[in-house]
Amino acid sequence: MAVFSSLGFARVPPSPRTALSSACSHSIKMCASSASPSESKKTVWVWTTNRQVMTAAVERGWSTFLFGSKDLGKDWSSTARINPLFIDGLEIFDEKKQKIAVISEVSSPGELELIQPDNVEVENIVIDFRGGWQVIPAENIVAAFQGCRGTVLAVSTNSTEAQALEQGLDGVILKVEDMDDIIKLKAKSQLMLTKATVSKVEVVGMGDRVCVDLCSMMRPGEGLLVGSYARGMFLVHSECLETNYIASRPFRVNAGPVHAYVAVPGGRTSYLSELQSGREVIVVDQNGLWRTAIVGRVKIESRPLILVEAKENGGDDTNSIFLQNAETVALITPEKGSSGRTAIPVTSLKVGDEVLVRKQGGARHTGIEIQEFIVEK
């Protein structure tokens, strides 16, 4: 089943076009993917004349809008930071009047076969299915654009269509006048989290740990994905819970030492030491629902550390993380975990406790997953 991301949507399993993502990297991408290599980055543009739809889309991270009227585009640009595109016949232009996409109207499988995507001089190809996309088998759509060097988007008139059309394409243009379609599409933003059983808790020496302060508040059950290895990252809880020692700081995650990986948008990881004001990270909750947030400040200080190791239930992989030895630092537990708690402070953590981890590919280069043999220990 396909799973939508907070700024776009992902496909599972990947289609034959997955290998083409590097060839399409220069097209206008306004979405972020989850931190999994199999959940490909997707593009979402919104085509509407309804200001409520625009507002709902901007609040959920979509910022590219199509307009038939330059006046409407100018008006909305004054109220929100958006990327306006303008439709003129079967062509789409940006604010500088540069052509960035062409529209192909298709009403039958035969018309689809007549499209020659490699002859198009722009990087974005928009398919407008006249008479309904259902009349064209999904495999025909994939075959028609396999090997295409550009980004292929399909016009969709509701969130259900958008979910179906993502197979084989790079994204959708959501042409709607009802904000519920925006809300429904965003609501399907979910990552796959795995239960893991703690196998080791050990107090170690001092280390430089990183507190990540966000420009957004976090709720109980939300945190950042952090780990010593990119193949498996722990869900570290925010400091939104009250303790006996310190007031709640719902904007902060005491995330771990400088060497640790943290999940960031675009299917990438970053070292905690690389984060700075203005960068984006992925905030994930206990159910795998995620959103992006902007880093407001990073604090690096020397503190005593604890090593935590956990094995995925039913698997052999051991995941590892170092965390500050403090009651305010906690790992998020499964929603119906045996502890009955949202999170367990590392000072109370013991062998046999269940926590949540995010399993993903192992080899990384500059934060991007690569197909390469690698051993981390």
Side-chain angles (χ1 to χ4, degrees):
M1 180 180 72
V3 182
F4 283 75
S5 78
S6 65
L7 300 183
F9 53 93
R11 54 186 156 202
V12 182
S15 77
R17 292 183 52 78
T18 301
L20 305 175
S21 59
S22 61
C24 301
S25 61
H26 297 294
S27 38
I28 299 178
K29 299 277 188 181
M30 290 296 165
C31 61
S33 73
S34 65
S36 167
S38 64
E39 296 166 357
S40 301
K41 189 173 183 179
K42 291 288 187 173
T43 299
V44 174
W45 297 349
V46 180
W47 185 354
T48 186
T49 59
N50 187 317
R51 184 179 289 272
Q52 287 185 320
V53 171
M54 182 273 289
T55 302
V58 170
E59 288 176 348
R60 286 154 179 79
W62 294 322
S63 57
T64 298
F65 291 84
L66 296 184
F67 298 99
S69 164
K70 290 187 178 181
D71 291 338
L72 185 60
K74 183 178 180 180
D75 179 32
W76 287 7
S77 294
S78 67
T79 60
R81 183 176 290 275
I82 64 174
N83 176 39
L85 302 178
F86 303 97
I87 302 170
D88 185 358
L90 295 178
E91 298 177 328
I92 299 174
F93 298 84
D94 63 15
E95 287 184 291
K96 298 179 180 179
K97 298 182 179 180
Q98 294 180 323
K99 185 163 62 174
I100 58 95
V102 294
I103 301 173
S104 294
E105 296 180 345
V106 176
S107 58
S108 69
E111 289 183 2
L112 183 66
E113 293 175 1
L114 295 177
I115 296 176
Q116 300 296 321
D118 287 339
N119 295 335
V120 178
E121 69 276 18
V122 291
E123 293 186 4
N124 299 286
I125 304 169
V126 175
I127 308 301
D128 190 357
F129 294 100
R130 298 299 173 124
W133 64 270
Q134 296 92 338
V135 301
I136 304 174
E139 57 269 22
N140 290 38
I141 300 172
V142 174
F145 296 100
Q146 190 166 359
C148 170
R149 293 188 296 270
T151 300
V152 182
L153 303 95
V155 176
S156 171
T157 57
N158 58 64
S159 59
T160 303
E161 279 189 0
Q163 186 175 11
L165 281 169
E166 61 89 18
Q167 293 294 338
L169 301 181
D170 299 300
V172 294
I173 294 176
L174 199 55
K175 186 178 182 181
V176 296
E177 299 298 324
D178 188 342
M179 63 181 295
D180 285 346
D181 286 306
I182 299 292
I183 295 170
K184 289 176 183 177
L185 192 58
K186 173 65 184 291
K188 297 178 181 178
S189 163
Q190 193 166 15
L191 293 177
M192 179 84 64
L193 299 177
T194 303
K195 294 179 183 179
T197 301
V198 174
S199 57
K200 183 177 184 179
V201 181
E202 180 182 337
V203 176
V204 293
M206 301 289 288
D208 294 335
R209 71 95 174 96
V210 181
C211 272
V212 182
D213 293 347
L214 303 179
C215 296
S216 305
M217 295 292 199
M218 285 171 281
R219 300 178 295 275
E222 286 188 322
L224 300 181
L225 287 169
V226 183
S228 293
Y229 312 128
R231 66 173 179 263
M233 306 177 77
F234 292 76
L235 192 48
V236 183
H237 202 270
S238 74
E239 292 190 1
C240 65
L241 303 176
E242 295 285 350
T243 73
N244 296 326
Y245 303 101
I246 196 168
S248 169
R249 292 190 174 99
F251 54 83
R252 173 173 294 176
V253 177
N254 190 330
V258 288
H259 79 279
Y261 288 116
V262 60
V264 298
R268 300 189 177 203
T269 58
S270 173
Y271 292 120
L272 283 173
S273 60
E274 294 176 338
L275 293 183
Q276 57 185 337
S277 299
R279 287 287 303 273
E280 280 190 316
V281 292
I282 292 174
V283 175
V284 185
D285 76 5
Q286 200 172 29
N287 299 310
L289 297 176
W290 69 276
R291 57 189 171 91
T292 60
I294 298 171
V295 176
R297 175 178 55 238
V298 171
K299 293 176 61 180
I300 302 177
E301 299 164 308
S302 183
R303 293 291 186 269
L305 301 178
I306 284 180
L307 168 63
V308 179
E309 292 182 353
K311 290 189 175 182
E312 297 163 26
N313 294 357
D316 297 324
D317 290 339
T318 297
N319 305 298
S320 171
I321 189 173
F322 289 87
L323 294 165
Q324 181 181 338
N325 186 1
E327 186 191 35
T328 56
V329 183
L331 292 175
I332 296 178
T333 62
E335 187 177 15
K336 298 180 181 178
S338 57
S339 67
R341 293 175 285 184
T342 299
I344 305 177
V346 294
T347 51
S348 304
L349 199 63
K350 61 183 183 299
V351 172
D353 284 336
E354 284 191 327
V355 296
L356 288 174
V357 299
R358 167 68 173 164
K359 185 177 180 180
Q360 49 191 32
R364 295 262 161 174
H365 179 65
T366 63
I368 304 171
E369 183 175 352
I370 57 174
Q371 299 301 315
E372 181 178 303
F373 174 75
I374 185 171
V375 175
E376 291 181 306
K377 56 184 177 178

